[in-house]
Amino acid sequence: LFARTRKFPKHLRPTLTQRIDNLALDVLERLVEARWTRQKAAMLHAANLGIEKLRLLCRLAHDEQFLDHRGYECVSRNLDEAGAMIGGWIRQQARK
């Protein structure tokens, strides 16, 4: 994701680029926190919400043609995979 946002126009760096990059790092932080805390469900739900926000921002970047079709397809597939994995972890925690 960072390699893709690095190619966005410079005038977007303080806004869209920074927001996407920060959200991606926030999701990563929530997953690390979920791994090491007893309150996993809250962290996993926060990470899942972050994935949804990333999907929206990446769609916006694609619609505005800052992200090409191939890049959008790659990012979307990776976000879908991460979302599915987080969803599985949430379901596993709910069974406990």
Side-chain angles (χ1 to χ4, degrees):
L1 191 56
F2 298 121
R4 303 280 181 197
T5 58
R6 194 175 308 127
K7 296 176 184 175
F8 285 8
K10 286 187 180 189
H11 73 276
L12 291 176
R13 291 199 181 137
T15 55
L16 186 62
T17 305
Q18 187 175 13
R19 187 68 186 132
I20 290 173
D21 291 348
N22 286 342
L23 264 172
L25 291 171
D26 289 346
V27 168
L28 183 60
E29 286 178 13
R30 297 298 88 75
L31 293 174
V32 169
E33 290 171 8
R35 169 66 177 94
W36 295 102
T37 186
R38 292 182 186 269
Q39 310 300 328
K40 293 182 187 326
M43 292 297 137
L44 292 172
H45 286 288
N48 206 28
L49 180 60
I51 293 286
E52 287 301 316
K53 290 177 183 179
L54 280 169
R55 280 189 182 110
L56 178 69
L57 291 174
C58 289
R59 190 174 330 127
L60 173 68
H62 178 257
D63 290 346
E64 294 297 321
Q65 300 179 349
F66 304 130
L67 186 59
D68 64 15
H69 295 299
R70 204 175 91 194
Y72 179 66
E73 183 181 344
C74 180
V75 167
S76 293
R77 252 188 278 116
N78 288 334
L79 289 174
D80 288 346
E81 182 180 357
M85 293 170 74
I86 292 169
W89 197 359
I90 290 171
R91 285 188 296 279
Q92 182 255 345
Q93 290 299 307
R95 285 188 292 247
K96 286 187 174 182

